[in-house]
Amino acid sequence: MSVQDILLIVLVLGLFAGILSGIPAMLAIAGVPLVLALVAGQFGLFPLAFLSNFPARVWGVMTNTLLMAVPLFVLMGVFLERAHLAERMLRVLARLLGGSALGMGLAVLGFSTIIAASTGIIGATVVMLVLIALGPMLEAGVPKRQAAGLICASGTLGQIIPPSIILVLLGDQIGNTYLEAQQRRGNFAPEPVSVADLFAGALVPGLVLVVLYALWLMLTLRRRKGVARPARQPVSATEVAFTFAPPLLLILAVLGSILGGVATATEAAGLGAIGAGLMAGFSLTSTRWERILIAAAGLAAFALVALRLTGFGRAGLDTLAGGAAGLAALLIALGVLVALARLARGGLLADALTETIKVSGMVFGIVIAASMLSLVFRGFGGEHAVAEVMATLPGGESGALLAIMALVFVLGFILEAVEIIYIIVPMLGPVVLAGDISPVWFAVLMAMNLQTSFLTPPFGFALFYFRSVAPREITTLDIYRGVAPFVAVQLLALALVFGFPRLATWLPDLMFN
Amino acid sequence: MLTLFLAFARWLDRLTLWAAMAATGVLALMVLVNVVLRYGFGSGSIGLQDLAAYAFAVLVILSVPLCHARGGHVRVEVISERLPAAYLPRADALAWALFLVPVFGLIVWAGWGDVVFSWSIREGSTNPGGLGGQYLVKAVLPIAAVLMAVQGLAALLRGNAA
């Protein structure tokens, strides 16, 4: 074993000690490698000139237009949450289906699928489901273990169902790593991997997972004995339409425009954020003309997309289509202004922006810190060491893939998804991505694996969030037992995608090739 | 002296927050404007796209100290929550001196030459026909690094004062 190998082992161990010490993880991820590199540099064991690349790496993160979608998707989710739009959907759903235990369970699952497509932040979804849905679920006769399991499992759906922030980050990392690895192997024209590819790739596996959950509920969910069937509360059709149509349309538009190849992920995320802002503004105001203007702006945005789709894109202002586009632009401007004024007066704008900045800081802090780690890792020759170790594994590429999957699963107990993606993919990814394995399939497997690991007792993140807000009558053991079957369902779905890569690659091939 | 420093840090934080909020707003609105231009009129403006990119760059780097000042960076507390209450403040102080200051100091120290050069030529966007003023955005990087050190220290001192 060479000195370099020993230093690499010290790096990895130091990294874990630093992260587990309880200090902000980003400081450990950037700090431990830097200190080790500085010390090793004194003995001529690390090329210190490497470190002067760090500011350029950070600037690279700041100018990475792919990551632009991240704060915009966060803003979209925060608007939907802060304006209680998501909460209202769940309440209406609960009243609509609250008559039976199974109906209630499926309602929560359906709601989570929709909301997963909008926020993708595990903590927020789990906490909201506990606060709003747990009570009605128990009243409807859902056994408490199953209720706990369903809420935790549903809360993690946002990781895999697009548009998910995790998939944007995976797209960034896997895209780069794949390109580099392929070029080093001599393939100078690999097909680039885009975020849209990953969104398309994750859609089918995500829906398969939801269907499996639903089947599991249908097979096993029985009303708890001794619970009276609660009376159904009437819900009018207009209420349902008004509560569900806007958020659903927004999410479909965002997802559809990406998958349809009309918009980039960033454009779709920007439209999603503005659209969610319009809805939040709409729900805050009760003035009629303001509501009309805001709604008109939303419709005008759809009209613009429709104009584009029907090929009227390049019209001058003097033509009919050009005039329509001009009118739509005017309506959008007016509606956005009115909605912004409302949001600002209600205090919601500053609140939502602050929260968005905070969540973005959390993500970008890790991204920036990880760029230091990968710099030092390369400086110590880590890539070669990893390639050598991986070469000793049996089973070639699939052996390496399985080893990475097992590692990611274990790491998921202590690290957040962002950290894992930015640590594991650049370090271990090249071995797998240099081969003929589909990068989209690899990304989807990573996302599903992370999601499973967040659900697995005793360290799953979803369980911590659940515990932090759940009543004491539901013991921690109840949560573990309730979650166990869902973990099994997850593993089944993961095995399905592993065994049938077409589940992940079929839709992207169909859409983009 | 301590209260003066903490007040200064808070004032800086508010200033940073305003800048980051403005950047977030500009980012969302510029993406919207670009989409409307492209979809509705089949045209686009490289200048406006650059403005969105500038806003994003400012948001990325300012969000890090803002998140730190709000205690928002992820911590893994599996072990530390079982240790005595005095442990974490000490670990944080050590992390500030050993990790935070060197890492963000490196950004200032190693990146200074690039920023000075960028100012000296009044560097603009690399896109042809793009917006000028990229040197202003580049200058935000060392500023954010210093802010990170200040907010990190303020968080420590605030914890001790409380």
Side-chain angles (χ1 to χ4, degrees), chain A residues 71-72 75 274 340 349-358, chain B residues 13-31 48 50-60 62-63 66 140:
Chain A
L72 294 170
L75 184 59
I274 298 283
L340 280 182
L349 186 61
D351 193 34
L353 286 176
T354 309
E355 179 65 18
T356 303
I357 291 165
K358 194 174 148 190
Chain B
D13 180 66
R14 194 157 313 148
L15 215 61
T16 319
L17 183 62
W18 276 91
M21 278 184 175
T24 314
V26 169
L27 172 64
L29 289 178
M30 280 311 113
V31 171
L48 291 180
D50 279 340
L51 190 57
Y54 287 1
F56 174 70
V58 171
L59 166 64
V60 167
L62 290 185
S63 71
L66 283 167
V140 182

Side-chain angles (χ1 to χ4, degrees), chain A residues 151-245:
Chain A
I151 286 182
C152 291
S154 302
T156 59
L157 281 175
Q159 305 283 308
I160 182 83
I161 293 185
S164 120
I165 295 166
I166 295 302
L167 290 173
V168 176
L169 299 174
L170 270 171
D172 171 43
Q173 277 302 293
I174 290 191
N176 283 338
T177 312
Y178 178 67
L179 214 64
E180 268 181 40
Q182 288 286 324
Q183 283 174 350
R184 210 170 306 156
R185 198 185 66 153
N187 176 7
F188 291 102
E191 291 246 342
V193 192
S194 70
V195 174
D197 285 324
L198 296 201
F199 280 7
L203 190 60
V204 174
L207 293 180
V208 165
L209 190 58
V210 173
V211 170
L212 288 177
Y213 280 172
L215 284 176
W216 172 254
L217 286 181
M218 286 178 197
L219 282 176
T220 61
L221 190 53
R222 298 281 175 271
R223 173 188 300 278
R224 201 153 34 99
K225 287 191 190 94
V227 175
R229 196 186 176 91
R232 232 171 227 261
Q233 292 164 323
V235 187
S236 71
T238 40
E239 192 179 359
V240 175
F242 271 101
T243 320
F244 281 93

Side-chain angles (χ1 to χ4, degrees), chain A residues 21-22 24-26 31 34-35 54-55 59 62 64 68 262-263 267 304 308 313-314 325 350 354 357-358 361-362 372 414, chain B residues 20-21 38-42 53 56-57 59 63 66-67 72-76 87 91 98-99 102-103 106-107 111 138 141:
Chain A
S21 74
M26 69 156 292
L34 176 62
V35 170
F54 182 54
W59 178 250
M62 291 163 67
N64 185 341
M68 258 191 205
V262 189
E267 288 174 339
L304 262 189
R308 173 76 174 176
R314 296 188 192 287
T354 309
I357 291 165
K358 194 174 148 190
M362 197 183 92
M372 170 66 92
I414 53 166
Chain B
M21 278 184 175
R38 197 158 78 81
Y39 285 30
F41 306 98
F56 174 70
L59 166 64
S63 71
L66 283 167
C67 183
H73 286 299
V74 189
R75 293 167 183 270
V76 177
Y87 164 76
L98 197 63
F99 296 154
V103 168
L106 181 67
I107 290 184
K138 271 211 170 141
L141 178 55

Side-chain angles (χ1 to χ4, degrees), chain A residues 14-215:
Chain A
L15 191 62
F16 276 98
I19 290 172
L20 287 174
S21 74
I23 62 171
M26 69 156 292
L27 291 182
I29 295 173
V32 170
L34 176 62
V35 170
L36 188 65
L38 287 175
V39 173
Q42 301 310 311
F43 300 97
L45 294 169
F46 184 86
L48 282 176
F50 253 66
L51 294 178
S52 57
N53 284 327
F54 182 54
R57 289 282 195 109
V58 178
W59 178 250
V61 175
M62 291 163 67
T63 49
N64 185 341
T65 46
L66 200 69
L67 296 177
M68 258 191 205
V70 172
L72 294 170
F73 275 135
V74 174
L75 184 59
M76 168 175 152
V78 171
F79 270 140
L80 287 181
E81 191 209 329
R82 290 290 152 103
H84 302 289
L85 292 167
E87 191 184 321
R88 210 172 305 150
M89 279 203 290
L90 187 53
R91 286 192 199 283
V92 171
L93 253 189
R95 273 161 52 207
L96 202 62
L97 299 163
S100 77
L102 181 60
M104 193 61 211
L106 291 178
V108 169
L109 181 60
F111 165 81
S112 309
T113 311
I114 299 170
I115 207 68
S118 76
T119 61
I121 305 164
I122 305 182
T125 318
V126 171
V127 169
M128 181 165 62
L129 286 173
V130 171
L131 295 179
I132 303 166
L134 185 62
M137 270 168 103
L138 296 177
E139 273 168 36
V142 179
K144 58 182 178 180
R145 281 180 195 160
Q146 263 176 319
L150 178 61
I151 286 182
C152 291
S154 302
T156 59
L157 281 175
Q159 305 283 308
I160 182 83
I161 293 185
S164 120
I165 295 166
I166 295 302
L167 290 173
V168 176
L169 299 174
L170 270 171
D172 171 43
Q173 277 302 293
I174 290 191
N176 283 338
T177 312
Y178 178 67
L179 214 64
E180 268 181 40
Q182 288 286 324
Q183 283 174 350
R184 210 170 306 156
R185 198 185 66 153
N187 176 7
F188 291 102
E191 291 246 342
V193 192
S194 70
V195 174
D197 285 324
L198 296 201
F199 280 7
L203 190 60
V204 174
L207 293 180
V208 165
L209 190 58
V210 173
V211 170
L212 288 177
Y213 280 172
L215 284 176

Side-chain angles (χ1 to χ4, degrees), chain A residues 421-440:
Chain A
I421 292 169
Y422 276 82
I423 293 176
I424 292 296
V425 175
M427 279 187 176
L428 305 182
V431 186
V432 175
L433 292 170
D436 298 318
I437 283 178
S438 152
V440 172

Side-chain angles (χ1 to χ4, degrees), chain B residues 26-110:
Chain B
V26 169
L27 172 64
L29 289 178
M30 280 311 113
V31 171
L32 175 72
V33 169
N34 282 319
V35 168
V36 168
L37 280 178
R38 197 158 78 81
Y39 285 30
F41 306 98
S43 71
S45 154
I46 293 173
L48 291 180
Q49 277 172 29
D50 279 340
L51 190 57
Y54 287 1
F56 174 70
V58 171
L59 166 64
V60 167
I61 203 64
L62 290 185
S63 71
V64 177
L66 283 167
C67 183
H68 196 67
R70 280 159 190 72
H73 286 299
V74 189
R75 293 167 183 270
V76 177
E77 300 186 36
V78 187
I79 296 175
S80 63
E81 67 190 2
R82 290 181 174 75
L83 296 175
Y87 164 76
L88 208 55
R90 280 182 206 158
D92 276 343
L94 194 66
W96 183 81
L98 197 63
F99 296 154
L100 194 155
V101 171
V103 168
F104 289 89
L106 181 67
I107 290 184
V108 178
W109 182 70

Side-chain angles (χ1 to χ4, degrees), chain A residues 248-274:
Chain A
L248 271 180
L249 274 178
L250 179 74
I251 289 160
L252 283 180
V254 168
L255 205 53
S257 59
I258 299 174
L259 296 184
V262 189
T264 62
T266 302
E267 288 174 339
L271 281 185
I274 298 283

